[in-house]
Structures are given as structure tokens and as C-alpha cells.
Amino acid sequence: GNSVTQMEGPVTLSEEAFLTINCTYTATGYPSLFWYVQYPGEGLQLLLKATKADDKGSNKGFEATYRKETTSFHLEKGSVQVSDSAVYFCALSEGDSSYKLIFGSGTRLLVRP
Amino acid sequence: GAGVSQSPSNKVTEKGKDVELRCDPISGHTALYWYRQSLGQGLEFLIYFQGNSAPDKSGLPSDRFSAERTGGSVSTLTIQRTQQEDSAVYLCASSLLNLGGNTIYFGEGSWLTVV
């Protein structure tokens, strides 16, 4: 079945460091891919998405590129801030006809000043 | 309201009791979802409502779980005879139509603790 695997956390970085959170997926068909973020005390928010191969999603300085050949959707940011501390979830849906999001287990990011 | 509203935000209940969790989706959103987030695990799909169509209940973990959506708006998730393994954050979400191309918006969740 479809699944999402993301790197275990916590990931601890100093402010202004480069961030990569790995995400790989297994899916039939042509899934859409998402990154969601959960800040402390808040609900899940969509961070970025990509709906087809080679698309790049970007938001708030974060980027992720849909790589069909490696079935990956790694999240990157060039310079993290303390305010980026949160839990990040990679997810997929099976294209336009699917209403189920399949989530990874989440990666906690802690950015220290 | 502006976002998906859930209540209660926190609930502590004794094992064996029934609980009801409420979700008020964003106005105009026809699709409504319930997910469960257990400690240290990812989000688990529970149930999906779309307009007047029959809901997809395939993610409900047992027959102690049920959900309804009245008038195409507010939804209630009911857990009967709660067990300790039911302790989790229950997340409600809504979107326009189904997921394709439309952003899904999550509420802040209802944290359930069964003691």
C-alpha cells in the first residue's frame, strides 16, 4: 500500500543553519505530495505542495522538489530561524480523485539561537 | 468562524465511558475529515464526509467509533466504552470539494486522555 517515510527526529540546528528533512514515499499512480507543519500549540498547517513530477513547492523560504525517479520530496531551507521550530509532516494523496492524506510520522525540528 | 473549530480542546475521561468530540468546519466546505494522531506516530485517517454522499468509514479502528455530520456542516465523533489506547489527539479538517487541488484545513484538535 501507499506509505510515507521520513527521517526520525528530533533534528537540532543552530539558527541560520541549512535544513534538510528527508521524505520518501511508496505509491501507485501519481500522488500529490505535501509538507505540513505543526507549531507548538497550533493545528496542522499546509506548508507547501507539489502535484506532479519535477514540480517545486515553496513557501516561507522552504522548498521541496517532487522527484519521481527517487520517490522523494525532501524539505529544505537555506537558513533556519528559531521560529521554524515545529513538527514537520510529509504526506501524499493519490491525485485529484483521492481524499485521503497518508502522513509520515513527523520530524521535530528544534532551532537554537 | 475563520477556521476549523473543535471542542473540547482537552478531555480526560475514565475507561469505559463514552465521549463525543465536535467539529465545526469552515463555512462552505463540503468535505470533512477526521484523523487521529497518537503519541510518536503519524496521523491516521478515520473517516471522510463529502456532501450528501455516504461517508468513507474505512479508517475507523473499531465499532466503538462512529461519526455523523448533521446538515452537511457540524460533525460529531463518538467513542463508546473508551479504552486507554484511544488516548490521542483527534483532528478534524475540511476542504472545498475533495482534496484534489484544494487545500485541506485542520483544526487544533481535541486531546483525549483515557485514564
Side-chain angles (χ1 to χ4, degrees), chain A residues 35-37 45-49 58-60 62 75 88:
Chain A
W35 277 99
Y36 278 81
V37 58
Q45 303 173 26
L46 178 64
L47 180 60
L48 53 85
K49 68 179 182 182
S58 62
N59 186 25
K60 299 182 181 180
F62 290 89
L75 183 68
Y88 293 81

Side-chain angles (χ1 to χ4, degrees), chain B residues 4-19:
Chain B
V4 177
S5 178
Q6 293 187 244
S7 62
S9 55
N10 283 284
K11 175 74 175 178
V12 179
T13 190
E14 292 181 352
K15 178 181 172 181
K17 294 282 180 69
D18 297 352
V19 296

Side-chain angles (χ1 to χ4, degrees), chain A residues 36 89 93 98-101, chain B residues 33 35 37 56 58 99 104:
Chain A
Y36 278 81
F89 292 90
S93 74
S98 175
Y99 44 80
K100 292 181 189 176
L101 281 171
Chain B
Y33 317 74
Y35 282 82
Q37 184 178 15
D56 178 351
S58 61
L99 184 60
I104 181 171

Side-chain angles (χ1 to χ4, degrees), chain A residues 23-97:
Chain A
C23 172
T24 57
Y25 67 90
T26 302
T28 56
Y30 303 95
S32 294
L33 302 173
F34 305 82
W35 277 99
Y36 278 81
V37 58
Q38 188 172 33
Y39 297 104
E42 298 184 18
L44 274 172
Q45 303 173 26
L46 178 64
L47 180 60
L48 53 85
K49 68 179 182 182
T51 58
K52 61 183 187 296
D54 299 326
D55 269 2
K56 177 185 285 187
S58 62
N59 186 25
K60 299 182 181 180
F62 290 89
E63 292 183 342
T65 301
Y66 189 140
R67 301 286 188 199
K68 191 165 169 40
E69 64 275 15
T70 54
T71 61
S72 65
F73 192 56
H74 305 320
L75 183 68
E76 297 182 336
K77 186 174 185 181
S79 176
V80 293
Q81 305 300 311
V82 172
S83 57
D84 294 326
S85 298
V87 181
Y88 293 81
F89 292 90
C90 186
L92 69 81
S93 74
E94 294 173 311
D96 289 351
S97 63

Side-chain angles (χ1 to χ4, degrees), chain A residues 5-8 20-24 35 73-75 90 107:
Chain A
T5 302
Q6 55 183 113
M7 59 190 292
E8 289 191 22
T20 300
I21 299 179
N22 290 337
C23 172
T24 57
W35 277 99
F73 192 56
H74 305 320
L75 183 68
C90 186
T107 302

